[in-house]
Every structure is written in structure tokens, then in C-alpha cells.
Amino acid sequence: MVHAMFTANQTNKPTEKERKVRDEYERKLSEMQKEMKRLQSAKKEHARLLRNQTQHENQVKALKNDLAEMKLAK
């Protein structure tokens, strides 16, 4: 009986309440997808900044070593 009601309901146009629920679901889903893209972009940017920071730290370390060697070579 439930299956028959479900099948009969599918052939009819969705009710106003069903349409509102679906529209709200689709709106929220769209917002979440946009937020996911924004977060993925932020994650990628964060990884890039960390790589740059590591490179700069290594460069500073190398320059400090060079300076120490120059002081010893005097």
C-alpha cells in the first residue's frame, strides 16, 4: 500500500511543500559546494605559503652559515 501511494505520488506534480523543501535543499547544497571550493582554494594557498616560508627559512639559514664562515675566514 505504501509503495502504491509512493508511486501514485510520483506521477503527480510535487506539492508546494515538496517543492519548497527541494528548493531549500538545492540552495543549501549549492552553498556548501561553493564553501567547499573556497576551503579547497584556501588549503592550496596555505600549502603554497608554507612551501615559501620553508624556502625562505632555508635561505636565511644558508646565508647565516655563509656569514659565519666569512667571519672565521678573516
Side-chain angles (χ1 to χ4, degrees), residues 24-35:
E24 180 69 10
Y25 169 81
E26 288 176 349
R27 183 185 65 77
K28 286 182 180 180
L29 181 60
S30 177
E31 287 176 4
M32 284 191 267
Q33 287 171 334
K34 287 177 188 175
E35 180 70 4

Side-chain angles (χ1 to χ4, degrees), residues 48-70:
R48 185 186 70 79
L49 291 171
L50 284 176
R51 279 193 309 274
N52 285 349
Q53 182 181 12
T54 302
Q55 287 175 349
H56 288 127
E57 287 171 353
N58 289 339
Q59 188 177 19
V60 167
K61 192 176 187 181
L63 291 171
K64 283 183 178 181
N65 287 339
D66 290 348
L67 181 61
E69 287 178 16
M70 287 178 180

